[in-house]
Amino acid sequence: MKIIVPMAGRGSRLRPHSLTVPKPLIPVAGKPIVHRLVEDIAKILKQPIEEIAFVLGDPAFFGEDVVKSLEELATGLGARASIYRQDLPLGTGHAIMCAKESLSGPAVIAYADTLIRADFELDPAADAVIWVKQVDEPEAYGVVKLNPNNEIVELVEKPKDFVSDLAVIGIYYFKEVGELKKELQGVLDNNIQNGGEYQINDGIKAMMANGKVFKTGSVDEWMDCGNKNVTVETNARMLGFLQSDGENLVAPSAQLENATIIPPCFIGENVVLTNATVGPNVSLGKGSHVKDSTIKNSLIQTHAHIKNANLDNAMIGNHVSFDGKFTSISIGDYSVLE
């Protein structure tokens, strides 16, 4: 089994955080989004992972430190890492084809801006599986249309009229991913674009037209990391799941002086809390210091220094120095607010 992870986008909806840290590497509940996603998929598949192929963007943004962290992620799962580059943002289909040397055999394709909680078995009768989640407002999503045999017969993007309430979450399984590769090569060769980009959906539609059977897979939880507010919400939900799983979320090296932690919270290595109340639903990255402050429902990355603050629904980047009374903020790396 292979896992293909397109993650070349700059994450414009998550700026300023994604200006200096690629969005898939922003930590949620103490672990980068892409690390958590890939590890969860590997756990769900319950079979050996041969290769994990990552499609990255500009080396100036996705540099050697990113490559190293992804190689370590793959090695930790017993797989080899393959690194590819998408030089231009030409769409999901184009991104997948940047990894065409790895597109053979059974594979899962997963976009690195989402997290899931699930427990499923792959349907042996299906040529491919598209994972979906039932949603309340399907008009805001791409959805699947099913026939009476519960096979996917159509993909509809943001339907104005009701088609179904099963939203595509961006995770796919192909029994033979080489078949998708063949159809996407046709999409590129014939310059088939939607919105000025080459899309995975056009390759999938071609596979359906050739009689390939697509089934749905469902997930228990689907958590987006597209912008600041939903990422903070996802952080809170993931902390709750990890606490229920019995994980220890507070590092032994954390130092508390007249401080209270209200779980669930992730408290990283060498965090110092002084005259502070933290939680619930807070992640504090390693080396952060919090003094004379109250923080809840917030995601704070590494080596931040926060004092005299009352924060709720906040997202703060790395090496930030913050002193103030603001209550709902989104500031990026190396910012200073006094």
Side-chain angles (χ1 to χ4, degrees):
M1 179 70 69
K2 299 178 181 179
I3 302 176
I4 315 296
V5 188
M7 49 184 289
R10 292 293 295 268
S12 60
R13 291 191 298 149
L14 202 49
R15 291 176 179 170
H17 303 280
S18 57
L19 284 173
T20 55
V21 177
K23 181 172 71 170
L25 293 182
I26 290 174
V28 167
K31 185 177 290 188
I33 295 167
V34 65
H35 287 231
R36 196 170 288 286
L37 173 66
V38 170
E39 289 175 357
D40 285 348
I41 290 173
K43 188 184 303 181
I44 291 165
L45 290 174
K46 300 171 186 171
Q47 56 184 285
I49 307 300
E50 166 194 348
E51 176 186 8
I52 305 175
F54 300 95
V55 182
L56 311 181
D58 186 349
F61 188 56
F62 294 87
E64 287 305 311
D65 55 336
V66 175
V67 171
K68 182 180 179 182
S69 76
L70 297 175
E71 289 175 341
E72 291 173 350
L73 169 61
T75 300
L77 294 170
R80 72 177 184 273
S82 297
I83 306 296
Y84 299 95
R85 298 285 180 177
Q86 184 185 26
D87 295 330
L88 296 172
L90 294 178
T92 57
H94 179 266
I96 292 165
M97 288 299 287
C98 290
K100 60 184 177 182
E101 293 176 13
S102 296
L103 298 182
S104 62
V108 169
I109 295 175
Y111 295 104
D113 60 354
T114 190
L115 292 171
I116 60 170
R117 299 282 286 187
D119 186 12
F120 51 72
E121 299 290 338
L122 293 172
D123 187 338
D127 295 303
V129 175
I130 299 176
W131 273 280
V132 298
K133 183 72 171 71
Q134 193 171 30
V135 295
D136 293 331
E137 299 177 350
E139 66 275 7
Y141 302 91
V143 300
V144 298
K145 182 178 180 180
L146 306 180
N147 66 14
N149 295 323
N150 288 321
E151 298 170 350
I152 301 172
V153 293
E154 191 175 355
L155 299 172
V156 184
E157 185 66 25
K158 297 182 179 179
K160 294 181 179 179
D161 299 319
F162 184 83
V163 174
S164 84
D165 57 0
L166 299 176
V168 176
I169 69 171
I171 302 177
Y172 311 80
Y173 164 75
F174 297 89
K175 187 182 294 185
E176 175 46 73
V177 76
E179 294 171 348
L180 176 68
K181 173 184 175 179
K182 175 185 174 183
E183 301 302 345
L184 285 177
Q185 188 62 58
V187 169
L188 296 177
D189 291 344
N190 293 292
N191 197 31
I192 300 171
Q193 297 188 32
N194 283 291
E197 297 180 339
Y198 302 100
Q199 305 293 353
I200 185 176
N201 282 2
D202 289 310
I204 290 173
K205 290 174 182 177
M207 288 181 66
M208 289 179 182
N210 288 333
K212 299 301 179 182
V213 175
F214 280 73
K215 295 287 190 74
T216 59
S218 61
V219 296
D220 300 320
E221 299 286 344
W222 173 33
M223 295 162 281
D224 189 17
C225 299
N227 59 45
K228 173 252 179 179
N229 285 334
V230 298
T231 302
V232 170
E233 179 185 348
T234 290
N235 179 69
R237 292 171 65 188
M238 184 58 69
L239 287 170
F241 296 138
L242 296 176
Q243 182 184 41
S244 297
D245 291 344
E247 288 199 24
N248 179 22
L249 298 175
V250 179
S253 59
Q255 302 175 41
L256 280 66
E257 180 180 343
N258 190 31
T260 300
I261 298 173
I262 304 172
C265 287
F266 171 82
I267 308 296
E269 296 286 347
N270 301 314
V271 166
V272 178
L273 304 178
T274 306
N275 301 324
T277 299
V278 174
N281 305 322
V282 172
S283 287
L284 280 173
K286 66 180 181 180
S288 293
H289 290 228
V290 178
K291 182 178 181 181
D292 300 323
S293 298
T294 298
I295 305 175
K296 58 184 178 180
N297 305 313
S298 296
L299 194 165
I300 296 167
Q301 296 182 51
T302 65
H303 305 288
H305 283 69
I306 298 168
K307 63 181 180 179
N308 304 319
N310 182 11
L311 300 178
D312 186 4
N313 189 37
M315 186 168 175
I316 295 177
N318 301 286
H319 299 274
V320 168
S321 176
F322 178 80
D323 183 353
K325 299 290 185 179
F326 301 99
T327 59
S328 181
I329 62 172
S330 180
I331 56 178
D333 297 356
Y334 296 97
S335 300
V336 177
L337 296 179
E338 297 179 334

